Amino acid sequence: MSILVIADHNNQTLNGATLNVVAAAQKIGGDITVLVAGSGAQAVADAAAKIAGVSKVLLADNAAYANQLAENVASLVADIAKGGYKYVLAASTTTGKNILPRVAALLDVSMISDIIAVESANTFKRPIYAGNAIATVQSDEAIIVGTVRGTAFDAVAAEGGSAVVEAVAEVKDAGISKFVSEEIVKLDRPELTAARIVVSGGRGVGSGENYHKVLDPLADKLGAAQGASRAAVDAGFVPNDFQVGQTGKIVAPDLYIAVGISGAIQHLAGMKDSKVIVAINKDEEAPINSVADYWLVGDLNTVVPELVSKL
Ligand SMILES: Cc1cc2nc3c(=O)[nH]c(=O)nc-3n(C[C@H](O)[C@H](O)[C@H](O)COP(=O)(O)OP(=O)(O)OC[C@H]3O[C@@H](n4cnc5c(N)ncnc54)[C@H](O)[C@@H]3O)c2cc1C
């Protein structure tokens, strides 16, 4: 069986999420090909060729794929998939979620979103109702198309493979969308979904100014990424891409510290698989209690600085 994995990248570096997708592909079993669709993306293809367990890398290098316009990439992926692949997998990232439904539509198959476990070659588990129930889905489609939740699969080694890199000459430019601009927030801290430690703040921190005053020293001490609840994002304390949860990012770090976050199910959906959860909240009845391993009841404005002073 042949599996096509769509690389997640920025034309220069391969996003680590691709390593988790390859891990899921290995659980299915079969020949794994990684497709790098980009522009000036040779370095990404070279990195993909070194991933343990990858047998081939396809590099479609053209300006039409420079910004991962879903219309162009999906058309390319669907064409390649028809050439003999049984599976098409991508990470459950913004890019993967943008491209794969279009691929499924072009192939006229249903798709499986957010795979968290591979039960057999055609049976997968995926969360539903914001992770409150797990569905077991069996697919009889000729080509199985699915996004993979990275936090559910341990990444394969980035080094150790020696796959061949083949160029794809075909250019798919649908001509129906164009890249206008992007604003990328430059962070000195680790990326939220890849971080080992995450410090998140909720409405309880009170303001953007207080978020940084109280939580930055803690994140600095721990080398942590910073996250937030939707209430904190909606109130403008921090940018949108800090949001953890059902409609934000899904994280599963070794340590998640939730400060002034009540623990609504939509927030828990994004962090409850974290290995150790610490909650700091003045309300001892807050629902985050149900998932916290350590539970510190107190005013965050005094408790967090005290914690920082002891680290
Ligand atoms: C369709 C949908 C999708 C959603 N998606 C998301 C999502 O992706 N992510 C997300 O987070 N939410 C999401 N939500 C919103 C969610 O329902 C909650 O409204 C939100 O998570 C609440 O954020 P919060 O815990 O920061 O705020 P609150 O619920 O207001 O909790 C604030 C907490 O801070 C504590 N606190 C206050 N002051 C202090 C202090 N001085 N010291 C210590 N503790 C203090 C309070 O006791 C309270 O527990 C979604 C909702 C819907 C309907």
Side-chain angles (χ1 to χ4, degrees):
M1 279 183 295
S2 306
I3 304 170
L4 184 66
V5 169
I6 316 304
D8 206 287
H9 66 92
N10 62 0
N11 291 319
Q12 278 128 40
T13 50
L14 186 68
N15 181 343
T18 306
L19 303 177
N20 305 95
V21 183
V22 172
Q26 283 184 340
K27 290 244 151 87
I28 295 169
D31 262 2
I32 301 171
T33 299
V34 173
L35 170 67
V36 176
S39 178
Q42 182 67 47
V44 180
D46 293 342
K50 290 191 195 133
I51 301 175
V54 170
S55 50
K56 187 158 75 172
V57 173
L58 296 175
L59 173 60
D61 205 305
N62 191 279
Y65 310 125
N67 301 104
Q68 301 292 318
L69 291 180
E71 293 79 1
N72 299 354
V73 179
S75 173
L76 173 76
V77 172
D79 255 29
I80 294 174
K82 281 185 212 152
Y85 287 93
K86 173 69 189 165
Y87 301 88
V88 180
L89 302 177
S92 282
T93 54
T94 314
T95 310
K97 288 194 254 190
N98 197 12
I99 293 170
L100 272 220
R102 296 166 204 264
V103 172
L106 291 167
L107 294 173
D108 198 19
V109 297
S110 57
M111 78 165 268
I112 305 171
S113 302
D114 246 352
I115 293 170
I116 56 165
V118 175
E119 298 291 291
S120 74
N122 72 343
T123 310
F124 307 90
K125 286 189 187 283
R126 62 176 295 260
I128 54 174
Y129 302 117
N132 284 302
I134 305 297
T136 302
V137 185
Q138 200 161 65
S139 172
D140 292 327
E141 299 287 9
I143 300 177
I144 295 177
V145 176
T147 50
V148 172
R149 183 177 286 194
T151 53
F153 295 89
D154 288 335
V156 296
E159 302 274 339
S162 55
V164 290
V165 180
E166 278 177 21
V168 178
E170 186 181 357
V171 178
K172 292 281 188 181
D173 188 351
I176 52 173
S177 59
K178 71 173 180 180
F179 174 78
V180 178
S181 68
E182 66 186 351
E183 280 175 39
I184 298 175
V185 183
K186 273 245 172 252
L187 290 176
D188 297 330
R189 296 202 162 81
E191 201 272 317
L192 187 51
T193 54
R196 283 185 45 249
I197 304 177
V198 174
V199 173
S200 273
R203 199 192 322 253
V205 300
S207 67
E209 193 189 334
N210 205 43
Y211 177 103
H212 292 294
K213 183 172 154 224
V214 177
L215 299 189
D216 286 7
L218 181 58
D220 288 344
K221 269 265 163 90
L222 297 172
Q226 287 183 310
S229 70
R230 176 155 154 189
V233 166
D234 285 352
F237 299 174
V238 284
N240 277 43
D241 56 357
F242 277 44
Q243 187 179 318
V244 171
Q246 184 187 339
T247 42
K249 290 181 175 159
I250 310 280
V251 300
D254 293 341
L255 174 62
Y256 187 89
I257 304 180
V259 183
I261 294 178
S262 62
I265 52 163
Q266 295 90 353
H267 188 79
L268 301 187
M271 46 62 77
K272 68 176 160 34
D273 292 331
S274 305
K275 303 216 172 41
V276 175
I277 297 172
V278 175
I280 298 174
N281 200 302
K282 67 177 183 186
D283 173 9
E284 61 188 40
E285 311 243 306
I288 194 140
N289 195 0
S290 67
V291 295
D293 299 288
Y294 297 93
W295 176 242
L296 191 50
V297 179
D299 185 334
L300 62 92
N301 296 300
T302 51
V303 167
V304 175
E306 201 180 326
L307 179 60
V308 173
S309 73
K310 296 204 161 127
L311 283 172

